[in-house]
Amino acid sequence: MVERTLAIIKPDAVKKRVIGKIIQRYEDAGLIPIAMKMMRMSKAVAEGFYAVHQERPFFHDLTTSMSSGPSVVLVLEGEHAIRANRELMGATDPQKAEPGTIRAAHGASIEANAVHGSDSPETADFEIRYFFPEIESTAR
Ligand code: IDP
Ligand code: MG
C-alpha cells in the first residue's frame, strides 16, 4: 500500500550539515520526497505541531529546540511509508537506535535526535495538513 508520511530533518541535523545524507537515505529506502520546504519554525508553530505532547515535561525544551534554527520538512511517499520511515529512523533515543538507522548515525541525544517521522495514519494526516495544506495526505 502506497502511503504518505511527514518527515522533519530537525535543526540539530541541519546544523551538522547532513541534510543531503538523510535525504539520500529516504530515496535509497524508496521513500520519495513529493513536497519539501526549509523553514525556521516559530515557537508557536512548533507547539501546534507537537500539541499531542503538551502535558509532557519535555514539551518546552522540545519546542524550543525545534524553533532554534531551520528545519527541512518533507512529505515522503512509498510502500508502507509511515512504518518504513519509523524503521529507517530508529528509536527515539539515539543510544538505543538500531545500528544503521538515521538516529544511530546522526542523533546526538534524545533531544537532538536528527529526524521526526509520523507514527500512525492519523498523525501523518494531521502533520501533512499542518505543514502542507495544499497537498493530499493520502497517496493517489
Ligand atoms: P518520536 O520522535 O520517536 O516519535 P516522541 O515520543 O513522539 O518520539 O517524542 C517527540 C520528540 O520529543 C522526540 O523525538 C524527542 O526529540 C523528544 N523527546 C521525547 N522523549 C523525551 C524525553 O524523555 N526527554 C527529552 N526529549 C524527549
Ligand atoms: Mg512521535
Side-chain angles (χ1 to χ4, degrees), residues 2-56:
V2 177
E3 279 178 341
R4 292 177 176 178
T5 190
L6 189 96
I8 303 177
I9 303 174
K10 294 185 178 186
D12 60 286
V14 173
K15 287 187 190 96
K16 286 168 72 177
R17 303 184 185 176
V18 291
I19 295 171
K21 287 182 176 168
I22 292 174
I23 293 176
Q24 190 67 60
R25 281 174 180 259
Y26 295 146
E27 293 185 321
D28 288 348
L31 294 169
I32 308 307
I34 62 150
M36 174 162 65
K37 62 184 169 191
M38 190 164 190
M39 58 176 295
R40 182 175 180 161
M41 290 181 208
S42 66
K43 186 93 161 47
V45 165
E47 287 168 355
F49 180 73
Y50 279 119
V52 64
H53 291 316
Q54 61 194 355
E55 305 302 330
R56 303 287 194 94

Side-chain angles (χ1 to χ4, degrees), residues 49-50 52-53 86 89 92 103 116-119 123 127:
F49 180 73
Y50 279 119
V52 64
H53 291 316
R86 294 293 303 191
M89 289 162 61
T92 305
R103 283 168 163 169
H116 167 84
S118 309
D119 65 4
T123 56
E127 292 174 1

Side-chain angles (χ1 to χ4, degrees), residues 43-93:
K43 186 93 161 47
V45 165
E47 287 168 355
F49 180 73
Y50 279 119
V52 64
H53 291 316
Q54 61 194 355
E55 305 302 330
R56 303 287 194 94
F58 57 80
F59 183 68
H60 174 76
D61 288 350
L62 172 61
T63 54
T64 297
S65 79
M66 290 300 286
S67 56
S68 68
S71 300
V72 178
V73 188
L74 313 90
V75 179
L76 303 176
E77 183 174 277
E79 277 293 319
H80 301 289
I82 297 166
R83 191 182 71 217
N85 187 40
R86 294 293 303 191
E87 287 173 5
L88 188 63
M89 289 162 61
T92 305
D93 180 351

